[in-house]
Amino acid sequence: MCGIVGAIADRDVVPVLIEGLKRLEYRGYDSAGIAIVAEEAVRRVRRTGRVAEMEAAAGAEDFHASLGIGHTRWATHGGVTEGNAHPHISHGELALVHNGIIENHEQQRERLLALGYTFESQTDTEVIAHLIHHYQSQGHDLLVALQHAVKELDGAYAIAVISKRDPQRMVCARMGCPLLVGLGEGENFVASDVSAIVSATRRVIFLEEGDTAELTREQVRVFDASGAEIPRDVHVSDVSLASLELGPYRHFMQKEIHEQPRAIADTIEAIIDRNSFVSAMFGENAEDIFRDIEAVQILACGTSYYAGLTARYWIEAIAGLPCAVDIASEYRYRQVVANPKQLIVTISQSGETLDTMEALKYAKSLGQQRTLSICNVPESAIPRASELVFYTRAGAEIGVASTKAFTTQLVALFVLTCTLAKLHGRLDAEQEAEMLEALRHLPGSVQHALNLEPQIVAWSERFAPKQHALFLGRGVHYPIALEGALKLKEISYIHAEAYPAGELKHGPLALVDAAMPVVVIAPNDKLLEKVKSNIQEVRARGGEMFVFTDQDSHFSESEGVHVIRTPRHVGVLSPIVHAIPVQLLAYHAALARGTDVDKPRNLAKSVTVE
Ligand code: F6R
């Protein structure tokens, strides 16, 4: 969603701001803007649409300065208009960018109107700019004015502010939305995501909840929620520039689909090196916690939720522990029956998803303190709020549609399953060796599935003109059908639904006719014969079938039944391999329809609002 970048330096920071905003584009946005302090004036340029359009406007207006802030906005309060785009300015003196939502903005607006402020936008953000200006006008310096203002805000924010009254510094604040400070040589930066500033510096301080900070060229000072100056750790980011570049690929989604063998190999590297499922990989106290728990509760959204649904089959069958999986936005508002002996597992690629974070907080507030985060972004909010952490090593995922994050989440959940099984006496040495062997072969099996791309391209051309599609799976492959339908709808805009194949006759069969393609995930597992019968039910109604199966399933092509064979059955890890063809199908169908694959309409990469 929204992105922030800011810089104070001895050089022109405008190119830094523009590059930073371009690196934040992947998060999803609908307008962009920058503000600078130059020659004792605040200047601003904003545009709806792409950063490139705003860049051209900044070029035309000869924007140069050594202090500035920039923003990509994903509209929440107020439509997609230039007037609602950030930065927002108060009294021509102070400019501010904001991520998050201010819940008490209406009350603040009333108060500020009474104080004589006028409003130019429909956003919740503008009140913050006026509030800080109000405190500045009472004689406080910029930092103190910010500290007073944020005390009056309810909701979530990451804020960066510059003022022409104080042209030698920038101030920022964080509550509920990520914000970090980048440390350079004689220059300093602020950003909502390290990728925005990684070409300028890798040394970063992740601000904590309630922190404010003051940046000059030479110095950064951080203050905690009480206003006391506090030292915060400096981290060196290992985000690689290569993961942020497209390279020879047409889209990030295509690149990330093809990176999966490497992403999986990196994620399992430590396990393969140790040749053992070791609980210490989840954190210091993991062994005690894992031994003590009696059940697992998974919380996540979207694709990450489907990873959780897949894991339920593994955790119950292999580790023998009851496992519940909930959509985070539902769990957080349900009257949950708490179980302190339950391990709360959150799954989030970004580590920022607001609903998942709130579900975690709610679970903890009910006395469920054993928490594990499976996440792809180090130091993000959700792992920081969890006792145990397993980082997937997928590398930066830029395409809005999750691909390599999903398969590495599945790998992490499989490792969790085996570790729990071992500690609960359900995995002897021989079985552990078998599971490790299966993992070792996984990157190769995924590569074989990727090699099916030419056949899938041919299928996708038949899909592209369709309006609707059905996806079917059973057992552990049902969540892969759900994921296939989600991928197809979010990037190609073809309406797609997934059902457990056995459920077809209870309703959805009514939808099947010759115009409805039906994708079936049907590997050679114990439910194969059942799936074959379900396929007959569809064929009998004239539906056209597209079946992904494995080499040893003896599935034959017939009229209206098309078959693509994935590699030999890879046993328990089969859902991971079968995620690949459904990703490729969605990607190529979207390509054929000419949609914006990496930035599908209305969607954002990190969903930091409710
Ligand atoms: C779909 C997709 C989303 C995310 C969901 C959760 O391709 O990417 O459904 O999975 O928004 O995001 P994270 O995993 O960052 O919490």
Side-chain angles (χ1 to χ4, degrees):
M1 297 204 140
C2 307
I4 289 177
V5 62
I8 181 163
D10 258 339
R11 55 180 167 138
D12 181 12
V13 297
V14 172
V16 178
L17 301 178
I18 300 283
E19 183 189 340
L21 293 181
K22 285 186 174 167
R23 291 203 190 277
L24 291 172
E25 284 190 291
Y26 79 95
R27 297 170 64 92
Y29 71 107
D30 35 48
S31 55
I34 57 174
I36 54 172
V37 174
E39 289 154 22
E40 290 172 28
V42 172
R43 295 177 66 202
R44 159 177 77 179
V45 58
R46 300 178 292 178
R47 288 291 181 276
T48 56
R50 295 292 179 220
V51 172
E53 289 160 41
M54 191 272 294
E55 180 185 14
E61 292 184 30
D62 206 19
F63 261 53
H64 302 284
S66 54
L67 173 62
I69 50 178
H71 192 261
T72 47
R73 172 175 188 254
W74 192 84
T76 55
H77 292 65
V80 182
T81 62
E82 203 169 297
N84 285 333
H86 300 210
H88 287 283
I89 290 184
S90 183
H91 276 250
E93 295 187 346
L94 173 149
L96 170 141
V97 289
H98 163 227
N99 288 357
I101 288 180
I102 303 305
E103 282 160 11
N104 61 340
H105 70 104
E106 276 169 9
Q107 295 95 301
Q108 293 294 355
R109 185 180 272 250
E110 293 302 313
R111 186 183 146 210
L112 288 157
L113 282 169
L115 286 169
Y117 285 92
T118 52
F119 285 82
E120 292 174 352
S121 75
Q122 289 83 50
T123 65
D124 53 335
T125 299
E126 201 177 348
V127 297
I128 318 174
H130 292 326
L131 209 49
I132 300 171
H133 181 269
H134 164 66
Y135 283 113
Q136 236 190 346
S137 306
Q138 292 190 336
H140 297 294
D141 74 18
L142 187 58
L143 176 70
V144 176
L146 169 76
Q147 288 171 335
H148 278 308
V150 293
K151 284 206 177 72
E152 295 180 23
L153 302 177
D154 293 339
Y157 53 79
I159 299 167
V161 193
I162 54 175
S163 165
K164 77 169 192 185
R165 288 197 204 179
D166 216 339
Q168 303 303 327
R169 58 180 172 166
M170 172 163 47
V171 296
C172 59
R174 162 197 180 171
M175 177 68 82
C177 293
L179 195 67
L180 57 91
V181 172
L183 308 173
E185 296 294 327
E187 53 187 28
N188 289 306
F189 309 90
V190 59
S192 52
D193 181 327
V194 71
S195 61
I197 53 167
V198 75
S199 49
T201 183
R202 289 181 175 277
R203 296 176 58 236
V204 297
I205 294 173
F206 295 100
L207 297 184
E208 304 269 339
E209 294 291 59
D211 279 358
T212 50
E214 176 191 74
L215 288 73
T216 62
R217 285 182 194 91
E218 301 303 334
Q219 205 187 17
V220 169
R221 297 169 72 202
V222 181
F223 304 85
D224 67 13
S226 75
E229 190 168 350
I230 185 153
R232 294 271 182 235
D233 293 344
V234 177
H235 299 258
V236 178
S237 168
D238 64 358
V239 168
S240 81
L241 273 178
S243 69
L244 305 174
E245 311 282 351
L246 201 48
Y249 294 95
R250 195 159 160 194
H251 295 101
F252 278 103
M253 184 181 180
Q254 183 193 25
K255 175 178 182 241
E256 288 157 5
I257 289 174
H258 283 272
E259 280 174 349
Q260 289 177 103
R262 202 264 315 133
I264 292 171
D266 286 353
T267 301
I268 58 176
E269 189 183 6
I271 297 118
I272 300 299
D273 284 354
R274 293 175 197 219
N275 202 26
S276 174
F277 294 104
V278 185
S279 41
M281 282 181 304
F282 294 86
E284 263 178 33
N285 303 329
E287 179 158 350
D288 291 345
I289 293 172
F290 285 174
R291 271 191 204 288
D292 200 39
I293 56 141
E294 291 170 356
V296 177
Q297 166 73 61
I298 297 177
L299 303 171
C301 302
T303 288
S304 299
Y305 168 69
Y306 296 150
L309 282 184
T310 313
R312 178 168 64 188
Y313 291 88
W314 289 332
I315 291 170
E316 294 192 341
I318 301 170
L321 291 168
C323 177
V325 191
D326 272 81
I327 293 175
S329 57
E330 286 295 310
Y331 181 88
R332 62 181 283 204
Y333 292 114
R334 222 176 64 214
Q335 288 207 316
V336 167
V337 180
N339 174 4
K341 286 268 191 187
Q342 185 164 253
L343 179 68
I344 303 292
V345 180
T346 53
I347 311 170
S348 175
Q349 184 286 130
S350 61
E352 283 179 27
T353 302
L354 187 89
D355 282 320
T356 308
M357 183 66 177
E358 292 302 321
L360 170 63
K361 285 188 192 160
Y362 175 50
K364 283 167 53 169
S365 75
L366 298 174
Q368 304 173 120
Q369 297 301 333
R370 283 119 181 222
T371 55
L372 163 68
S373 155
I374 293 178
C375 185
N376 193 42
V377 180
E379 294 299 328
S380 51
I382 296 173
R384 280 148 63 97
S386 307
E387 187 166 13
L388 305 177
V389 180
F390 186 102
Y391 285 117
T392 48
R393 291 179 55 201
E397 192 178 67
I398 307 288
V400 163
S402 189
T403 52
K404 61 179 180 172
F406 177 61
T407 46
T408 54
Q409 284 168 349
L410 289 175
V411 166
L413 288 159
F414 183 74
V415 171
L416 173 67
T417 303
C418 293
T419 311
L420 290 174
K422 207 171 143 180
L423 292 173
H424 285 256
R426 302 264 306 198
L427 198 72
D428 62 25
E430 195 180 327
Q431 289 163 321
E432 181 177 14
E434 270 171 33
M435 298 301 187
L436 287 164
E437 192 59 10
L439 268 183
R440 206 171 277 123
H441 285 113
L442 184 61
S445 307
V446 167
Q447 185 57 57
H448 279 120
L450 287 169
N451 296 344
L452 298 169
E453 192 163 7
Q455 294 172 60
I456 296 170
V457 172
W459 277 16
S460 66
E461 279 153 16
R462 308 173 73 137
F463 264 74
K466 303 286 184 189
Q467 296 303 317
H468 308 275
L470 260 183
F471 282 67
L472 304 177
R474 287 196 82 144
V476 73
H477 294 97
Y478 164 52
I480 303 304
L482 286 165
E483 172 61 2
L486 177 63
K487 285 288 92 93
L488 189 70
K489 66 186 136 193
E490 69 180 325
I491 59 165
S492 76
Y493 316 148
I494 296 172
H495 169 227
E497 297 298 333
Y499 280 92
E503 189 64 9
L504 209 55
K505 54 192 168 296
H506 299 291
L509 200 53
L511 293 172
V512 171
D513 62 15
M516 173 75 89
V518 182
V519 180
V520 194
I521 322 294
N524 186 19
D525 62 11
K526 64 176 191 219
L527 290 172
L528 179 64
E529 290 311 316
K530 307 259 177 229
V531 178
K532 282 183 174 169
S533 318
N534 301 140
I535 286 175
Q536 290 315 318
E537 294 162 8
V538 175
R539 260 323 282 153
R541 272 91 195 162
E544 192 173 12
M545 317 288 307
F546 296 85
V547 183
F548 290 116
T549 187
D550 39 29
Q551 292 295 347
D552 34 6
S553 69
H554 309 294
F555 229 111
S556 38
E557 294 243 358
S558 56
E559 203 195 325
V561 181
H562 315 285
V563 177
I564 288 185
R565 290 180 200 285
T566 55
R568 285 189 68 77
H569 189 55
V570 296
V572 69
L573 294 175
S574 170
I576 302 180
V577 173
H578 282 86
I580 311 299
V582 296
Q583 294 169 349
L584 286 169
L585 182 63
Y587 173 71
H588 287 288
L591 213 58
R593 287 168 76 98
T595 56
D596 190 349
V597 172
D598 283 335
K599 300 185 199 89
R601 67 186 178 204
N602 309 336
L603 298 180
K605 183 69 184 160
S606 292
V607 186
T608 50
V609 296
E610 209 176 324

